[in-house]
Amino acid sequence: MKYTGNVIKYGDNVDTDVIIPARYLNTSDHKELASHCMEDLDKTFVSRVKQGDIITAGENFGCGSSREHAPIAIKASGVSLVIAKSFARIFYRNAINIGLAIVECPEAAEDISEGDMVEADLDNGIIRNITAGREYKTAPFPEFVQSIIENGGLMQAIENGVI
Amino acid sequence: MAMTMTQKILAAHSGKESVSAGELILADLDLVLGNDITSPVAIKEFAKLGRDSVFDRDKVTMVMDHFAPNKDIKAAEQCKMCRDFCMEKEISHFYDVGEMGIEHALLPENGLVTAGNVVIGADSHTCTYGALGAFSTGVGSTDMACGMATGKAWFKVPSAMKIVLTGSLRKYVSGKDVILHIIGEIGVDGALYKSMEFTGEGLSSLTMADRLCMANMAIEAGAKNGIFEVDDITLDYIRTHGGAEPVVYRADENAEYDEVLTVDLSEIEPTVAFPHLPENAKTFAEIGDVRIDQVVIGSCTNGRLEDLIAAAEIMKGRKAAKNVRVIVIPATQQIYLDAMEMGLIRIFIEFGAVVSTPTCGPCLGGYMGILAAGERAVATTNRNFVGRMGHPESEVYLASPATAAASAVTGRITSPWEVMNE
């Protein structure tokens, strides 16, 4: 699984309430959720995010609510991958379950700057910062997680008889 | 292999003699929960599998508590989708307006969870049932859908943090103050991916309301679950509420913990978490003059009868400060009735509060009690993130029911000790 894109960077403890505020949770429409993604943290996100972009963040990304609307909003915005120093637990499994690639790599999350072009090869656990010419190592996804993401999410993986 | 309480429950539910931290397992579920926000997403996912029925109609429950009674047309459509699904699949435990309550108060009250259960809920505060000695954790809608279809969920077996409680609480200090203190100590990712296991002789001084509140906020420290050692108080509660026969798991003496934290309950003071993270805990020596516009007493953290009694004791015979809006929300219809019969509702109304039907509304900035820019609220809820109760420039201060009530009296963040001259 390889992902290439420009980076949008955030700090520590980005919570699910700023990723998608509860006032928009009266819908589960993916496009509508994406249209309010990151609204209470970064009003410019929706207008500047491009297909394939990569989000980097600090510690505990996605803390708070179990709302799957949060990773759905990020994925539907076109974001291909989230790299953080650490993820909140429920967000982590929700992202995997809906087929949004995410990876913990403190070194990359620290070093990569806003706007950098980054390439991630998650099968081999290598993240390349093309802009800065640097490389970071990360643990490859466990096979179990890879198969869920490759199948487009947990339900598809069950349907395909993978799990 | 020595195991923690959580590890023992997970081993028993995955058909294994023992499990160890880091292991990926597939566990059988005793209950799958969803609400009116998370269930619609799960129902859409469930439909992809093309199954006629859920794995067990008695082990799936949906509670319409976030935007119900419906706040707008879209919310009404979400509730209708849940209602139709539950009717079609003949779900036994569907709770709609009139018999619903805030889910994490309602399920224990109705005896749907017992010690030794494995419960997943598409709501992060599902960890509340750890107070009953269950392994219970918040998940997303896809996990809920998978749980409804198969009766199973995948878990990475967590390592644990042991929290040893000693001493007993002083007057007007509650479980909310204890958990805010602990989160203040360890931070919002202090227990990330771990179990928080509560034990020690101090347990005997904690009511079930205290324990349910503390387990509820384990997620605010990033924990996978919070769980209390089962004692007579737990067993009494389960039996009184008609829960199934408890299965009690105790941690092995030589179980491994990443960390052991000892908390002397007699040293805990009224504690408030400042914006915008639950870890910003302060005691009154550090709290200056913070004027407030609203007080909310309720939620899955602190809407139980004991919480309303604590608030009423302080409000009785007093009036709310001018320009402070006070909202009191009994967490279930039963709690509402009990509060009415005890005369608490009269105390609240004479104080100047509104008393609402059970709802999660204000806690998540959903509806009722939304804050304008620049406004501040003291709330007994569990989160104070940016925009949590309304405008992104508003502020939420988390506190116990006693502290919230005392603050409503003065119009600034106030210790119950000050108002009650203790």
mmCIF file of all heavy atoms in Angstrom, chain B residues 101-139:
data_model
loop_
_atom_site.group_PDB
_atom_site.id
_atom_site.type_symbol
_atom_site.label_atom_id
_atom_site.label_comp_id
_atom_site.label_asym_id
_atom_site.label_seq_id
_atom_site.Cartn_x
_atom_site.Cartn_y
_atom_site.Cartn_z
ATOM 1 N N GLY B 101 -33.568 6.886 28.254
ATOM 2 C CA GLY B 101 -32.812 7.686 29.210
ATOM 3 C C GLY B 101 -31.433 7.813 28.609
ATOM 4 O O GLY B 101 -31.180 7.257 27.542
ATOM 5 N N ILE B 102 -30.550 8.530 29.265
ATOM 6 C CA ILE B 102 -29.181 8.611 28.771
ATOM 7 C C ILE B 102 -28.579 7.209 28.872
ATOM 8 O O ILE B 102 -28.600 6.591 29.937
ATOM 9 C CB ILE B 102 -28.388 9.663 29.556
ATOM 10 C CG1 ILE B 102 -28.987 11.057 29.269
ATOM 11 C CG2 ILE B 102 -26.918 9.619 29.205
ATOM 12 C CD1 ILE B 102 -28.405 12.180 30.078
ATOM 13 N N GLU B 103 -28.115 6.702 27.745
ATOM 14 C CA GLU B 103 -27.817 5.272 27.590
ATOM 15 C C GLU B 103 -26.996 4.655 28.740
ATOM 16 O O GLU B 103 -27.323 3.570 29.213
ATOM 17 C CB GLU B 103 -27.123 5.020 26.247
ATOM 18 C CG GLU B 103 -25.892 5.878 26.029
ATOM 19 C CD GLU B 103 -25.510 6.024 24.561
ATOM 20 O OE1 GLU B 103 -24.912 5.102 23.999
ATOM 21 O OE2 GLU B 103 -25.788 7.080 23.967
ATOM 22 N N HIS B 104 -25.936 5.349 29.171
ATOM 23 C CA HIS B 104 -25.050 4.714 30.157
ATOM 24 C C HIS B 104 -25.610 4.748 31.578
ATOM 25 O O HIS B 104 -25.068 4.124 32.483
ATOM 26 C CB HIS B 104 -23.658 5.332 30.086
ATOM 27 C CG HIS B 104 -23.117 5.324 28.698
ATOM 28 N ND1 HIS B 104 -23.080 4.170 27.949
ATOM 29 C CD2 HIS B 104 -22.656 6.316 27.898
ATOM 30 C CE1 HIS B 104 -22.598 4.466 26.759
ATOM 31 N NE2 HIS B 104 -22.336 5.744 26.692
ATOM 32 N N ALA B 105 -26.685 5.504 31.780
ATOM 33 C CA ALA B 105 -27.412 5.415 33.052
ATOM 34 C C ALA B 105 -28.525 4.382 32.907
ATOM 35 O O ALA B 105 -28.828 3.631 33.836
ATOM 36 C CB ALA B 105 -27.991 6.771 33.425
ATOM 37 N N LEU B 106 -29.116 4.336 31.710
ATOM 38 C CA LEU B 106 -30.285 3.490 31.467
ATOM 39 C C LEU B 106 -29.961 1.991 31.485
ATOM 40 O O LEU B 106 -30.700 1.189 32.059
ATOM 41 C CB LEU B 106 -30.900 3.861 30.111
ATOM 42 C CG LEU B 106 -32.220 3.194 29.770
ATOM 43 C CD1 LEU B 106 -33.347 3.802 30.602
ATOM 44 C CD2 LEU B 106 -32.547 3.348 28.281
ATOM 45 N N LEU B 107 -28.869 1.602 30.822
ATOM 46 C CA LEU B 107 -28.571 0.173 30.691
ATOM 47 C C LEU B 107 -28.302 -0.496 32.044
ATOM 48 O O LEU B 107 -28.897 -1.547 32.327
ATOM 49 C CB LEU B 107 -27.411 -0.056 29.709
ATOM 50 C CG LEU B 107 -27.826 -0.310 28.251
ATOM 51 C CD1 LEU B 107 -28.806 0.723 27.733
ATOM 52 C CD2 LEU B 107 -26.623 -0.396 27.339
ATOM 53 N N PRO B 108 -27.449 0.093 32.902
ATOM 54 C CA PRO B 108 -27.276 -0.518 34.235
ATOM 55 C C PRO B 108 -28.576 -0.517 35.022
ATOM 56 O O PRO B 108 -28.902 -1.504 35.686
ATOM 57 C CB PRO B 108 -26.225 0.376 34.902
ATOM 58 C CG PRO B 108 -25.497 1.013 33.776
ATOM 59 C CD PRO B 108 -26.516 1.202 32.687
ATOM 60 N N GLU B 109 -29.330 0.582 34.929
ATOM 61 C CA GLU B 109 -30.595 0.692 35.671
ATOM 62 C C GLU B 109 -31.564 -0.418 35.265
ATOM 63 O O GLU B 109 -32.301 -0.950 36.090
ATOM 64 C CB GLU B 109 -31.204 2.070 35.387
ATOM 65 C CG GLU B 109 -32.484 2.360 36.126
ATOM 66 C CD GLU B 109 -33.037 3.727 35.736
ATOM 67 O OE1 GLU B 109 -32.503 4.745 36.227
ATOM 68 O OE2 GLU B 109 -33.982 3.781 34.926
ATOM 69 N N ASN B 110 -31.550 -0.767 33.984
ATOM 70 C CA ASN B 110 -32.455 -1.803 33.483
ATOM 71 C C ASN B 110 -31.860 -3.210 33.542
ATOM 72 O O ASN B 110 -32.420 -4.149 32.971
ATOM 73 C CB ASN B 110 -32.878 -1.486 32.046
ATOM 74 C CG ASN B 110 -33.905 -0.363 31.993
ATOM 75 O OD1 ASN B 110 -34.297 0.162 33.028
ATOM 76 N ND2 ASN B 110 -34.336 0.004 30.818
ATOM 77 N N GLY B 111 -30.716 -3.338 34.184
ATOM 78 C CA GLY B 111 -30.120 -4.656 34.383
ATOM 79 C C GLY B 111 -29.614 -5.311 33.108
ATOM 80 O O GLY B 111 -29.542 -6.536 33.021
ATOM 81 N N LEU B 112 -29.240 -4.504 32.105
ATOM 82 C CA LEU B 112 -28.787 -5.094 30.837
ATOM 83 C C LEU B 112 -27.320 -5.499 30.849
ATOM 84 O O LEU B 112 -26.848 -6.160 29.929
ATOM 85 C CB LEU B 112 -29.040 -4.122 29.671
ATOM 86 C CG LEU B 112 -30.507 -3.820 29.346
ATOM 87 C CD1 LEU B 112 -30.607 -3.032 28.047
ATOM 88 C CD2 LEU B 112 -31.323 -5.099 29.227
ATOM 89 N N VAL B 113 -26.589 -5.062 31.867
ATOM 90 C CA VAL B 113 -25.166 -5.408 31.948
ATOM 91 C C VAL B 113 -24.899 -6.032 33.316
ATOM 92 O O VAL B 113 -25.438 -5.580 34.323
ATOM 93 C CB VAL B 113 -24.268 -4.163 31.799
ATOM 94 C CG1 VAL B 113 -22.800 -4.559 31.824
ATOM 95 C CG2 VAL B 113 -24.593 -3.394 30.522
ATOM 96 N N THR B 114 -24.073 -7.066 33.338
ATOM 97 C CA THR B 114 -23.688 -7.658 34.615
ATOM 98 C C THR B 114 -22.178 -7.883 34.649
ATOM 99 O O THR B 114 -21.500 -7.782 33.623
ATOM 100 C CB THR B 114 -24.463 -8.978 34.856
ATOM 101 O OG1 THR B 114 -24.299 -9.354 36.218
ATOM 102 C CG2 THR B 114 -23.969 -10.094 33.953
ATOM 103 N N ALA B 115 -21.670 -8.180 35.842
ATOM 104 C CA ALA B 115 -20.233 -8.419 36.009
ATOM 105 C C ALA B 115 -19.782 -9.569 35.120
ATOM 106 O O ALA B 115 -20.492 -10.570 34.991
ATOM 107 C CB ALA B 115 -19.924 -8.723 37.467
ATOM 108 N N GLY B 116 -18.627 -9.393 34.499
ATOM 109 C CA GLY B 116 -18.064 -10.445 33.661
ATOM 110 C C GLY B 116 -18.475 -10.372 32.203
ATOM 111 O O GLY B 116 -17.966 -11.122 31.372
ATOM 112 N N ASN B 117 -19.385 -9.446 31.868
ATOM 113 C CA ASN B 117 -19.822 -9.287 30.464
ATOM 114 C C ASN B 117 -18.735 -8.665 29.597
ATOM 115 O O ASN B 117 -17.850 -7.973 30.100
ATOM 116 C CB ASN B 117 -21.035 -8.348 30.397
ATOM 117 C CG ASN B 117 -22.364 -9.037 30.680
ATOM 118 O OD1 ASN B 117 -23.386 -8.382 30.766
ATOM 119 N ND2 ASN B 117 -22.369 -10.346 30.812
ATOM 120 N N VAL B 118 -18.853 -8.900 28.278
ATOM 121 C CA VAL B 118 -18.124 -8.109 27.294
ATOM 122 C C VAL B 118 -19.165 -7.307 26.513
ATOM 123 O O VAL B 118 -20.083 -7.870 25.925
ATOM 124 C CB VAL B 118 -17.298 -8.987 26.335
ATOM 125 C CG1 VAL B 118 -16.757 -8.140 25.171
ATOM 126 C CG2 VAL B 118 -16.138 -9.638 27.072
ATOM 127 N N VAL B 119 -19.010 -5.978 26.570
ATOM 128 C CA VAL B 119 -19.987 -5.081 25.946
ATOM 129 C C VAL B 119 -19.262 -4.114 25.022
ATOM 130 O O VAL B 119 -18.239 -3.543 25.407
ATOM 131 C CB VAL B 119 -20.735 -4.258 27.026
ATOM 132 C CG1 VAL B 119 -21.755 -3.328 26.386
ATOM 133 C CG2 VAL B 119 -21.416 -5.170 28.044
ATOM 134 N N ILE B 120 -19.771 -3.958 23.798
ATOM 135 C CA ILE B 120 -19.290 -2.854 22.963
ATOM 136 C C ILE B 120 -20.455 -1.911 22.704
ATOM 137 O O ILE B 120 -21.606 -2.332 22.616
ATOM 138 C CB ILE B 120 -18.666 -3.301 21.617
ATOM 139 C CG1 ILE B 120 -19.687 -4.033 20.729
ATOM 140 C CG2 ILE B 120 -17.408 -4.121 21.839
ATOM 141 C CD1 ILE B 120 -19.244 -4.163 19.266
ATOM 142 N N GLY B 121 -20.122 -0.648 22.590
ATOM 143 C CA GLY B 121 -21.141 0.342 22.295
ATOM 144 C C GLY B 121 -20.588 1.394 21.364
ATOM 145 O O GLY B 121 -19.437 1.827 21.525
ATOM 146 N N ALA B 122 -21.391 1.774 20.388
ATOM 147 C CA ALA B 122 -20.967 2.843 19.481
ATOM 148 C C ALA B 122 -21.209 4.178 20.182
ATOM 149 O O ALA B 122 -22.069 4.974 19.801
ATOM 150 C CB ALA B 122 -21.705 2.754 18.159
ATOM 151 N N ASP B 123 -20.474 4.347 21.243
ATOM 152 C CA ASP B 123 -20.448 5.588 22.020
ATOM 153 C C ASP B 123 -19.233 5.468 22.923
ATOM 154 O O ASP B 123 -19.070 4.450 23.605
ATOM 155 C CB ASP B 123 -21.721 5.753 22.859
ATOM 156 C CG ASP B 123 -21.760 7.118 23.528
ATOM 157 O OD1 ASP B 123 -21.065 7.291 24.555
ATOM 158 O OD2 ASP B 123 -22.453 8.003 23.019
ATOM 159 N N SER B 124 -18.409 6.490 22.923
ATOM 160 C CA SER B 124 -17.121 6.355 23.616
ATOM 161 C C SER B 124 -17.282 6.114 25.117
ATOM 162 O O SER B 124 -16.410 5.512 25.728
ATOM 163 C CB SER B 124 -16.260 7.586 23.376
ATOM 164 O OG SER B 124 -16.900 8.733 23.861
ATOM 165 N N HIS B 125 -18.380 6.572 25.702
ATOM 166 C CA HIS B 125 -18.542 6.410 27.148
ATOM 167 C C HIS B 125 -19.132 5.063 27.561
ATOM 168 O O HIS B 125 -19.531 4.880 28.720
ATOM 169 C CB HIS B 125 -19.328 7.592 27.719
ATOM 170 C CG HIS B 125 -18.549 8.862 27.597
ATOM 171 N ND1 HIS B 125 -18.845 9.837 26.681
ATOM 172 C CD2 HIS B 125 -17.429 9.269 28.238
ATOM 173 C CE1 HIS B 125 -17.938 10.803 26.773
ATOM 174 N NE2 HIS B 125 -17.074 10.492 27.708
ATOM 175 N N THR B 126 -19.140 4.129 26.637
ATOM 176 C CA THR B 126 -19.560 2.760 26.945
ATOM 177 C C THR B 126 -18.677 2.145 28.033
ATOM 178 O O THR B 126 -19.082 1.191 28.705
ATOM 179 C CB THR B 126 -19.536 1.907 25.656
ATOM 180 O OG1 THR B 126 -20.367 2.547 24.690
ATOM 181 C CG2 THR B 126 -20.033 0.497 25.880
ATOM 182 N N CYS B 127 -17.496 2.717 28.228
ATOM 183 C CA CYS B 127 -16.608 2.230 29.293
ATOM 184 C C CYS B 127 -17.240 2.370 30.685
ATOM 185 O O CYS B 127 -16.724 1.799 31.650
ATOM 186 C CB CYS B 127 -15.253 2.928 29.237
ATOM 187 S SG CYS B 127 -15.359 4.717 29.135
ATOM 188 N N THR B 128 -18.355 3.078 30.782
ATOM 189 C CA THR B 128 -19.061 3.256 32.068
ATOM 190 C C THR B 128 -19.334 1.934 32.794
ATOM 191 O O THR B 128 -19.264 1.849 34.016
ATOM 192 C CB THR B 128 -20.422 3.962 31.823
ATOM 193 O OG1 THR B 128 -20.188 5.154 31.078
ATOM 194 C CG2 THR B 128 -21.113 4.307 33.125
ATOM 195 N N TYR B 129 -19.677 0.871 32.037
ATOM 196 C CA TYR B 129 -20.124 -0.381 32.666
ATOM 197 C C TYR B 129 -18.992 -1.151 33.336
ATOM 198 O O TYR B 129 -19.242 -2.171 33.981
ATOM 199 C CB TYR B 129 -20.858 -1.283 31.652
ATOM 200 C CG TYR B 129 -21.795 -0.495 30.766
ATOM 201 C CD1 TYR B 129 -21.761 -0.624 29.386
ATOM 202 C CD2 TYR B 129 -22.678 0.436 31.321
ATOM 203 C CE1 TYR B 129 -22.589 0.146 28.576
ATOM 204 C CE2 TYR B 129 -23.503 1.198 30.522
ATOM 205 C CZ TYR B 129 -23.455 1.061 29.150
ATOM 206 O OH TYR B 129 -24.260 1.824 28.362
ATOM 207 N N GLY B 130 -17.774 -0.639 33.190
ATOM 208 C CA GLY B 130 -16.663 -1.197 33.944
ATOM 209 C C GLY B 130 -16.927 -1.085 35.438
ATOM 210 O O GLY B 130 -16.390 -1.861 36.238
ATOM 211 N N ALA B 131 -17.765 -0.124 35.827
ATOM 212 C CA ALA B 131 -18.125 0.034 37.246
ATOM 213 C C ALA B 131 -18.831 -1.212 37.769
ATOM 214 O O ALA B 131 -18.826 -1.480 38.959
ATOM 215 C CB ALA B 131 -19.023 1.254 37.421
ATOM 216 N N LEU B 132 -19.439 -1.983 36.853
ATOM 217 C CA LEU B 132 -20.154 -3.204 37.243
ATOM 218 C C LEU B 132 -19.262 -4.442 37.144
ATOM 219 O O LEU B 132 -19.735 -5.570 37.295
ATOM 220 C CB LEU B 132 -21.378 -3.411 36.341
ATOM 221 C CG LEU B 132 -22.415 -2.276 36.312
ATOM 222 C CD1 LEU B 132 -23.448 -2.531 35.243
ATOM 223 C CD2 LEU B 132 -23.081 -2.141 37.669
ATOM 224 N N GLY B 133 -17.984 -4.231 36.836
ATOM 225 C CA GLY B 133 -17.088 -5.375 36.684
ATOM 226 C C GLY B 133 -17.197 -6.032 35.320
ATOM 227 O O GLY B 133 -16.860 -7.201 35.150
ATOM 228 N N ALA B 134 -17.657 -5.273 34.323
ATOM 229 C CA ALA B 134 -17.734 -5.785 32.949
ATOM 230 C C ALA B 134 -16.562 -5.225 32.152
ATOM 231 O O ALA B 134 -16.041 -4.157 32.485
ATOM 232 C CB ALA B 134 -19.043 -5.362 32.310
ATOM 233 N N PHE B 135 -16.157 -5.940 31.081
ATOM 234 C CA PHE B 135 -15.254 -5.322 30.105
ATOM 235 C C PHE B 135 -16.159 -4.617 29.121
ATOM 236 O O PHE B 135 -16.953 -5.251 28.417
ATOM 237 C CB PHE B 135 -14.388 -6.339 29.351
ATOM 238 C CG PHE B 135 -13.653 -5.690 28.193
ATOM 239 C CD1 PHE B 135 -12.493 -4.968 28.407
ATOM 240 C CD2 PHE B 135 -14.163 -5.763 26.897
ATOM 241 C CE1 PHE B 135 -11.846 -4.329 27.358
ATOM 242 C CE2 PHE B 135 -13.511 -5.129 25.837
ATOM 243 C CZ PHE B 135 -12.357 -4.413 26.073
ATOM 244 N N SER B 136 -16.058 -3.321 29.070
ATOM 245 C CA SER B 136 -16.964 -2.605 28.192
ATOM 246 C C SER B 136 -16.235 -1.428 27.588
ATOM 247 O O SER B 136 -15.496 -0.723 28.279
ATOM 248 C CB SER B 136 -18.208 -2.267 29.001
ATOM 249 O OG SER B 136 -18.404 -0.952 29.172
ATOM 250 N N THR B 137 -16.397 -1.265 26.272
ATOM 251 C CA THR B 137 -15.576 -0.277 25.577
ATOM 252 C C THR B 137 -16.321 0.372 24.429
ATOM 253 O O THR B 137 -17.208 -0.246 23.833
ATOM 254 C CB THR B 137 -14.256 -0.936 25.094
ATOM 255 O OG1 THR B 137 -13.349 0.082 24.681
ATOM 256 C CG2 THR B 137 -14.483 -1.891 23.938
ATOM 257 N N GLY B 138 -15.945 1.598 24.138
ATOM 258 C CA GLY B 138 -16.539 2.324 23.030
ATOM 259 C C GLY B 138 -15.901 1.920 21.718
ATOM 260 O O GLY B 138 -14.694 1.676 21.651
ATOM 261 N N VAL B 139 -16.711 1.815 20.703
ATOM 262 C CA VAL B 139 -16.237 1.482 19.360
ATOM 263 C C VAL B 139 -16.993 2.379 18.374
ATOM 264 O O VAL B 139 -17.826 3.172 18.768
ATOM 265 C CB VAL B 139 -16.502 0.002 19.004
ATOM 266 C CG1 VAL B 139 -15.699 -0.924 19.909
ATOM 267 C CG2 VAL B 139 -17.984 -0.320 19.085
#
